[in-house]
Amino acid sequence: MTTPKTVLAQAIFDLVIEKAAAMPRQCISGDGICCLRDSNGNACFLGQIMSDDEVRPNGRLINGSADGLLQRGELPERYRDHVDLIELLQGVHDDLGNWTLGGSADKVEMRSEFLSIASAYGFNTRTLDQHFPAGA
């Protein structure tokens, strides 16, 4: 059954797919740690779906996992029911095996992980198939 919660979950999945396909490289800090946004304008998957105001409340850049932001009251309300999904998606970003030596997304590896998530949640894979086609 389609509910507002499942519609938003699909929308989060689709948006992350679209953003992941366009990312020039993994978003990590100088010390090799994933960050919501870096100084070059890159953003991890969670950072991609949050607005500038949400990532920089009061002009201060926040950082952390979806669960960490939730615990600190910094995760936007609309995502609070989707922390587990966002953490799974963020895991795709954080896995070094999903990035080529040149830094761009390894579309075969990412597709495989995104398909697993889509299967677990019963998501439509139209956006995944468009941006991470099979055999690409």
Side-chain angles (χ1 to χ4, degrees):
M1 178 171 84
T2 302
T3 67
K5 184 176 177 178
T6 60
V7 169
L8 180 55
Q10 178 74 55
I12 292 168
F13 179 77
D14 290 344
L15 182 57
V16 165
I17 298 298
E18 291 170 3
K19 300 288 188 177
M23 286 179 73
R25 64 188 164 281
Q26 187 181 32
C27 184
I28 54 174
S29 66
D31 55 4
I33 297 172
C34 171
C35 51
L36 290 179
R37 303 265 173 98
D38 69 16
S39 59
N40 297 317
N42 297 315
C44 69
F45 294 169
L46 176 57
Q48 293 271 8
I49 65 174
M50 292 173 64
S51 72
D52 288 340
D53 289 340
E54 292 166 336
V55 173
R56 288 186 177 84
N58 305 316
R60 175 185 60 84
L61 179 65
I62 61 172
N63 229 338
S65 66
D67 187 56
L69 296 181
L70 176 67
Q71 299 304 317
R72 294 191 312 263
E74 296 174 329
L75 187 69
E77 176 103 20
R78 68 187 174 282
Y79 298 135
R80 292 184 181 163
D81 289 339
H82 302 284
V83 170
D84 291 340
L85 169 61
I86 294 168
E87 291 283 338
L88 285 172
L89 292 167
Q90 189 59 38
V92 176
H93 171 274
D94 295 349
D95 184 346
L96 291 176
N98 291 326
W99 301 90
T100 67
L101 292 178
S104 62
D106 182 322
K107 294 204 173 200
V108 173
E109 292 298 322
M110 280 196 185
R111 176 181 173 78
S112 174
E113 291 201 40
F114 286 141
L115 275 173
S116 293
I117 294 169
S119 177
Y121 280 82
F123 290 149
N124 176 304
T125 61
R126 188 174 326 126
T127 300
L128 177 61
D129 294 338
Q130 176 185 355
H131 293 284
F132 291 83

